[in-house]
Amino acid sequence: MTVRTLRFYEEIGLLIPNKQNSSGHRLYGLEELTKLQLIQSMKFLGYSLQEIKRIIMDDSNAFEQLTNSLPMQHKLLCEKRNELNKAIEAVERVQLIIEEGKPVTWTVITSLLFHLEHEEEQKEWAKEYLSEEIANEFFNLSKEQRQQMDMEMLDWLSSLKKVIQDGVSPNSPEAFEVLIKLTELATKHVENKEELADQLEKAQELMETEVMDFQFPTILTPEEEAFLIEIGKYMEALYKRSEK
């Protein structure tokens, strides 16, 4: 414990020594040591200095206040732990992508980090349009599966950028293959793909009637999104002609 810390505790009224020597130096006795140990113990439990001050100011009621506050403190610490675990996973995934030499841009990193940070919200959003079973299949992936998906999606992104750079027509087998590959990647962990297709069709109809003022960040540029939409239109037209 540094002198600077002790002086700071005194400044905020948390630990004030009652005695001084003839030279004006503060004297800390057993009473102050006991209080200091209490402060350190509560800091270890994750309490802020202001919270500690509020609890221990009333000696007669301090233990009861501590007891009453522990459930909320436990909840807050668990939330912090979950946030740290997410941050650690994010660092590991970005680090692995870079180490593997994949094409990393700020667009890719922003999309990856957003989806990691807001996974639970996205899961609940998906459940509004899909069954809970299928929504869980999309999100309940192991760490290894997520990392593998990152690699495969970035490889696919490279192939998309190449066909655009080469001037490939969206109405071509090569372009069709790009969209087919994306569909396979997006649904590879869903067992009942026919049911998923039906639910996505209904979800699309619902979303078209709603005003969507926000879009999730993606790894795609506007140009790449527009190119994929064009491919989809040509493939849909071709499918309708084959049905006739």
Side-chain angles (χ1 to χ4, degrees):
M1 181 63 62
T2 65
V3 172
R4 183 177 180 181
T5 300
L6 290 174
R7 286 179 178 172
F8 178 69
Y9 286 178
E10 182 179 356
E11 287 174 10
I12 64 174
L14 184 59
L15 180 63
I16 303 174
N18 294 320
K19 298 179 181 179
Q20 294 184 352
N21 64 13
S22 58
S23 302
H25 293 107
R26 298 160 181 80
L27 300 177
Y28 290 82
L30 290 176
E31 182 181 345
E32 287 80 15
L33 178 59
T34 300
K35 195 170 185 179
L36 181 59
Q37 288 176 329
L38 175 59
I39 293 169
Q40 294 300 95
S41 296
M42 293 185 70
K43 279 184 63 180
F44 177 72
L45 293 178
Y47 288 93
S48 69
L49 293 179
Q50 291 302 321
E51 290 170 329
I52 295 171
K53 180 182 176 181
R54 177 179 54 79
I55 291 174
I56 68 176
M57 282 296 288
D58 183 1
D59 291 337
S60 63
N61 201 32
F63 189 75
E64 183 180 348
Q65 288 192 62
L66 173 64
T67 302
N68 293 336
S69 68
L70 282 176
M72 178 57 70
Q73 189 65 14
H74 182 269
K75 180 182 177 182
L76 292 173
L77 289 173
C78 287
E79 290 175 356
K80 288 182 180 179
R81 178 181 63 188
N82 292 337
E83 289 176 3
L84 280 173
N85 287 338
K86 283 184 180 180
I88 291 169
E89 182 182 352
V91 169
E92 291 174 348
R93 286 173 67 173
V94 172
Q95 191 175 16
L96 181 60
I97 289 171
I98 294 173
E99 289 173 353
E100 292 292 324
K102 301 300 180 183
V104 180
T105 64
W106 283 117
T107 302
V108 169
I109 291 177
T110 301
S111 174
L112 174 63
L113 296 181
F114 178 90
H115 286 279
L116 270 170
E117 184 179 359
H118 299 281
E119 185 177 47
E120 286 303 317
E121 294 98 315
Q122 292 176 80
K123 188 174 180 179
E124 292 305 313
W125 181 84
K127 287 180 181 178
E128 293 182 17
Y129 301 99
L130 306 174
S131 69
E132 184 171 352
E133 180 183 358
I134 286 183
N136 287 334
E137 287 181 328
F138 270 116
F139 288 95
N140 292 350
L141 303 179
S142 68
K143 178 181 176 180
E144 291 72 21
Q145 288 173 321
R146 293 171 189 270
Q147 291 177 340
Q148 183 62 30
M149 282 287 288
D150 290 343
M151 299 299 133
E152 293 175 351
M153 284 299 295
L154 289 175
D155 286 339
W156 169 85
L157 182 61
S158 293
S159 65
L160 171 63
K161 290 182 181 296
K162 187 175 188 307
V163 296
I164 294 176
Q165 184 178 357
D166 292 345
V168 174
S169 169
N171 186 19
S172 67
E174 190 175 355
F176 290 175
E177 184 61 31
V178 170
L179 188 54
I180 291 170
K181 181 63 176 176
L182 174 61
T183 305
E184 290 174 349
L185 287 175
T187 62
K188 67 182 295 185
H189 295 292
V190 178
E191 291 186 9
N192 194 334
K193 292 179 173 52
E194 291 184 4
E195 182 182 352
L196 171 63
D198 291 339
Q199 291 186 24
L200 285 175
E201 187 175 347
K202 294 176 183 177
Q204 184 66 30
E205 294 173 0
L206 288 172
M207 284 187 284
E208 286 175 353
T209 63
E210 298 178 357
V211 178
M212 303 294 287
D213 57 357
F214 174 77
Q215 290 183 324
F216 295 130
T218 76
I219 62 174
L220 303 171
T221 65
E223 178 190 13
E224 291 161 353
E225 286 189 10
F227 186 73
L228 288 174
I229 290 172
E230 285 300 307
I231 298 173
K233 289 178 179 178
Y234 283 119
M235 289 183 70
E236 185 177 4
L238 186 64
Y239 176 72
K240 288 180 178 178
R241 285 200 300 270
S242 66
E243 281 190 325
K244 294 179 182 179

